[in-house]
Amino acid sequence: MGCFHSKVGRHYYPGREGPVALAAQTSFSVSEVEALFELYKSISSSVVDDGLVSKEEFQLALFKNRKKENLFANRVFDLFDAKGKGVVDFSDFVKTLNVFHPNAPLEDKIKFSFRLYDLDNTGFIERQEVKEMVIALLCESGMKLADETIEIILDTTFLEADLNQDGKIDISEWQNFVAKNPSLLKIMTLPYLRDITTTFPSFVFNSEVEEIAT
């Protein structure tokens, strides 16, 4: 823990940006960023104490499981890993987590959720990508649906969302779809982030996943 000091003013923030700079760019206050740093330190030292969050540490913190591979967990990590280095630094951690803040702009939540499903980063959500993510969400929540049921879900989704019927959903179509189905963004808000200075969030997504899957 040599890099981390007890006094707030001397904290070393991997990603270089300190609490004042990060607070100015997010919905978090300076004190909330400092509280997030304490949480970040705990996560980043859970497997290897190097001041960075690996995919293994990230999955352990969010899903309480570092051994089970899951597309949803991997995709969330990829979006937190903004620099594509295979690790999440503190700056990435705060800026991405900000999307889940209750006060974050709705537009940011919509864009993030779109990227979550756009697995191939093509700028479109395709049927196979939605299918893979639905199956991953079901697996994460311990639920199973028949293939026929999943196909019905996909048919219904694309019938409503794919307005120009080209077999894929663009960001404009996704925005329209979400406007009609706001429950799709339920997982994009973690209410307890508003109280981060008094209570560290558990970061277990399972309850939200169960609600989405049902």
Side-chain angles (χ1 to χ4, degrees):
M1 300 291 288
C3 290
F4 303 116
H5 303 284
S6 59
K7 293 184 179 180
V8 171
R10 293 185 176 181
H11 273 156
Y12 166 63
Y13 293 85
R16 299 182 182 180
E17 294 179 280
V20 175
L22 288 171
Q25 300 173 61
T26 66
S27 298
F28 297 110
S29 66
V30 173
S31 59
E32 287 171 337
V33 172
E34 291 168 348
L36 283 173
F37 184 61
E38 296 304 315
L39 176 63
Y40 177 87
K41 285 196 297 181
S42 175
I43 296 174
S44 65
S45 62
S46 60
V47 178
V48 178
D49 189 4
D50 59 358
L52 296 168
V53 176
S54 66
K55 180 176 289 189
E56 185 179 14
E57 290 169 327
F58 187 85
Q59 188 159 319
L60 179 62
L62 269 71
F63 304 98
K64 304 302 181 186
N65 190 332
R66 71 189 190 199
K67 296 180 180 179
K68 183 175 67 175
E69 279 291 310
N70 181 277
L71 176 66
F72 177 65
N74 289 339
R75 185 57 180 161
V76 173
F77 177 83
D78 289 342
L79 294 181
F80 268 78
D81 178 20
K83 300 180 181 70
K85 294 183 178 180
V87 292
V88 176
D89 61 32
F90 184 61
S91 177
D92 293 337
F93 183 74
V94 174
K95 290 178 181 178
T96 307
L97 197 58
N98 178 64
V99 177
F100 296 88
H101 194 286
N103 297 338
L106 179 62
E107 183 179 354
D108 291 350
K109 294 179 184 292
I110 292 175
K111 288 180 179 178
F112 189 93
S113 64
F114 181 84
R115 293 173 60 206
L116 184 66
Y117 284 92
D118 180 18
L119 302 177
D120 296 329
N121 300 313
T122 60
F124 298 96
I125 298 175
E126 300 188 37
R127 185 184 179 96
Q128 185 60 32
E129 291 174 319
V130 177
K131 184 175 183 178
E132 290 177 15
M133 187 60 73
V134 167
I135 292 174
L137 287 167
L138 290 172
C139 288
E140 190 61 42
S141 63
M143 296 180 63
K144 290 184 178 181
L145 290 179
D147 288 342
E148 294 81 2
T149 304
I150 293 176
E151 291 300 327
I152 291 173
I153 293 174
L154 295 174
D155 288 342
T156 303
T157 298
F158 274 79
L159 181 63
E160 184 177 354
D162 183 16
L163 299 178
N164 61 8
Q165 299 181 347
D166 63 352
K168 54 191 178 183
I169 302 169
D170 61 30
I171 184 62
S172 178
E173 290 172 326
W174 180 253
Q175 290 170 332
N176 182 71
F177 184 57
V178 168
K180 295 179 180 178
N181 301 274
S183 62
L184 287 168
L185 294 184
K186 192 168 187 179
I187 198 173
M188 296 303 303
T189 297
L190 303 177
Y192 39 70
L193 286 180
R194 189 182 283 120
D195 304 314
I196 187 66
T197 54
T198 56
T199 307
F200 283 165
S202 64
F203 284 95
V204 177
F205 275 45
N206 293 17
S207 60
E208 286 84 1
V209 170
E210 289 170 4
E211 291 173 6
I212 291 294
T214 56

